[in-house]
Amino acid sequence: MANNWGISREVELIVEKRDKKCVYCNFHFEIEHESLKTTPTWEHIINDLKLVSADNIALCCFSCNASKGAKY
């Protein structure tokens, strides 16, 4: 999974170990990805690129991430 958001490898590992499903729709990432929509993506819970701790970073599917946009 590409990381263009300044997330450290340490935080990546914590989040990847913790988040086995999309934080929004609960799609399980262990299931084979049939499309881009179900691929895990990095999610900033609070939309601030400076907040890159494990408390603000989660995994969500591409579909949920795209639909969230800058709503929150």
Side-chain angles (χ1 to χ4, degrees):
M1 184 170 20
N3 173 357
N4 297 321
W5 309 109
I7 302 166
S8 72
R9 185 64 185 142
E10 179 182 1
V11 170
E12 282 183 348
L13 293 172
I14 292 168
V15 172
E16 288 171 349
K17 184 176 182 178
R18 180 192 68 203
D19 297 350
K20 301 298 183 190
K21 58 185 178 179
C22 174
V23 295
Y24 299 117
C25 72
N26 292 320
F27 177 83
H28 286 269
F29 295 127
E30 290 88 14
I31 298 170
E32 189 172 323
H33 309 294
E34 295 180 5
S35 71
L36 181 63
K37 292 179 181 180
T38 59
T39 301
T41 61
W42 298 113
E43 167 66 340
H44 288 79
I45 303 301
I46 299 171
N47 267 342
D48 185 339
L49 297 179
K50 293 178 258 172
L51 299 175
V52 291
S53 70
D55 293 335
N56 191 50
I57 303 296
L59 290 178
C60 71
C61 68
F62 184 89
S63 183
C64 286
N65 204 346
S67 68
K68 177 185 173 218
K71 291 179 189 174
Y72 297 94

